[in-house]
Amino acid sequence: MKLKIAVLPGDGIGPEISEQGVAVMNAVCEKFGHEVSYQYALCGADAIDKVGDPFPEETFKVCMDADAVLFSAVGDPKFDNDPTAKVRPEQGLLAMRKKLGLFANIRPVETFDCLIHKSPLKDELVRGADFICIRELTGGMYFGEKYQDDEKAYDTNAYTRPEIERILKVAYEYAMRRRKHLTVVDKANVLASSRLWRQVAKEMAPQYPEVETDYMFVDNAAMRMIQDPKFFDVMVTENTFGDILTDEGSCITGSMGLLPSASTGEHTPVFEPIHGSWPQAKGLNIANPLAQILSVAMLFEYFNLKEEGALIRKAVNASLDANVRTPEIQVEGGERYGTTEVGQWIVDYIKKA
């Protein structure tokens, strides 16, 4: 198979973890006889500094011309600490989602047995937790009408029936492939937009009679994720709620550095780690590359290259079992490994497999 990949390293630790993701992709393609080519492009603070735009038109063209995008992270403190900044790195991320029509964000939340002790939850609560959060990505408050002056501000949480139907369809399809349990998360007791979500979901549920569909207010869902994370199989929700709940879900595993994600929709799919740019760690060779590497596994699986994805997952699990880990998840007294060393260990494992 021939794959054309757009690579967007972005900011902070992005270039370091991106390098490891590309190295793993090369190793897998060589192993299985695939041809892969890359085109690198600017985004985030790096793009603002160089061309004044966090998602330049040239980057958009590179993404549209690719089979998939391997994205890393955006963000920089000089923008975070300036509330008057008119252009921000995160605007590039929103622009990418909107222009590529990436309306579905898929975030798996699964635990690693050897890292259960890192979870803030008790072993008996978290061991075996395995669910997917599906977040609507191009609607809601993040993209609705906005206003701000010195005395008043508002964000409009607008959704249309077609936007809700298409994300629910994605969620039901995932549920059908898993344990056939879908939880629709909303705030229908307060928000009109949520009442439309629930109405549409109730209309669609009979189309998927094999799937058990339940409905949960977002505050209850946040609590349930902590009390009983194993309850969930597939969870679907709107943009703002999804942003919050997926970060909560990531903490269950014990490290945000372990979880990948995919964003799919109308055009080129994007695969990225869920963590941020961690600018304080830039250049220190301490960032965990596993979420980026597992994003590569999701990329292969998207193209139905399941054996390739499975080998990456096997290599990641082997590295954890062998205590080849970056500092934030290393066992006490364990050998010190950096971003580069962890990536190289996984590449070597794949080559020998």
Side-chain angles (χ1 to χ4, degrees), residues 288-299:
N288 190 342
L290 295 186
Q292 180 84 88
I293 290 168
L294 288 168
S295 297
V296 174
M298 289 188 77
L299 187 157

Side-chain angles (χ1 to χ4, degrees), residues 319-332:
S319 73
L320 291 170
D321 289 341
N323 291 329
V324 180
R325 314 179 188 185
T326 46
E328 92 286 359
I329 57 169
Q330 184 56 289
V331 297
E332 187 175 353

Side-chain angles (χ1 to χ4, degrees), residues 8 16 35 52 86 104 108-109 122 146-147 150 154 173 206 217 230 251 260 291 309 323 344:
L8 278 58
E16 298 165 66
E35 292 183 34
K86 301 299 182 185
V109 178
K122 293 178 181 178
K146 301 177 185 299
Y147 176 82
D150 290 338
Y154 61 77
E173 288 172 352
F217 295 147
K230 287 181 278 191
C251 294
N323 291 329
Q344 187 60 54

Side-chain angles (χ1 to χ4, degrees), residues 227-270:
Q227 292 178 325
D228 184 17
K230 287 181 278 191
F231 167 83
F232 297 101
D233 177 24
V234 178
M235 171 194 297
V236 63
T237 192
E238 60 97 59
N239 203 345
T240 306
F241 297 159
D243 192 5
I244 297 165
L245 290 176
T246 51
D247 277 4
E248 181 188 3
S250 72
C251 294
I252 290 172
T253 67
S255 173
M256 289 184 73
L258 288 169
L259 298 182
S261 75
S263 296
T264 64
E266 299 169 5
H267 302 296
T268 315
V270 175

Side-chain angles (χ1 to χ4, degrees), residues 97-117:
R97 292 169 180 169
K98 197 70 173 180
K99 287 188 171 185
L100 294 178
L102 302 172
F103 63 84
N105 180 238
I106 297 99
R107 289 193 182 187
V109 178
E110 60 180 311
T111 54
F112 296 81
D113 285 348
C114 64
L115 289 171
I116 293 292
H117 66 287

Side-chain angles (χ1 to χ4, degrees), residues 56-118:
E57 185 65 22
E58 181 58 34
T59 298
F60 173 55
K61 290 177 181 176
V62 168
C63 292
M64 287 292 286
D65 192 44
D67 296 310
V69 178
L70 186 63
F71 173 76
S72 298
V74 295
D76 190 284
K78 68 183 177 184
F79 295 96
D80 297 340
N81 298 327
D82 181 9
T84 65
K86 301 299 182 185
V87 182
R88 298 178 180 278
E90 292 76 14
Q91 291 171 344
L93 191 54
L94 296 179
M96 178 171 66
R97 292 169 180 169
K98 197 70 173 180
K99 287 188 171 185
L100 294 178
L102 302 172
F103 63 84
N105 180 238
I106 297 99
R107 289 193 182 187
V109 178
E110 60 180 311
T111 54
F112 296 81
D113 285 348
C114 64
L115 289 171
I116 293 292
H117 66 287
K118 287 284 188 179

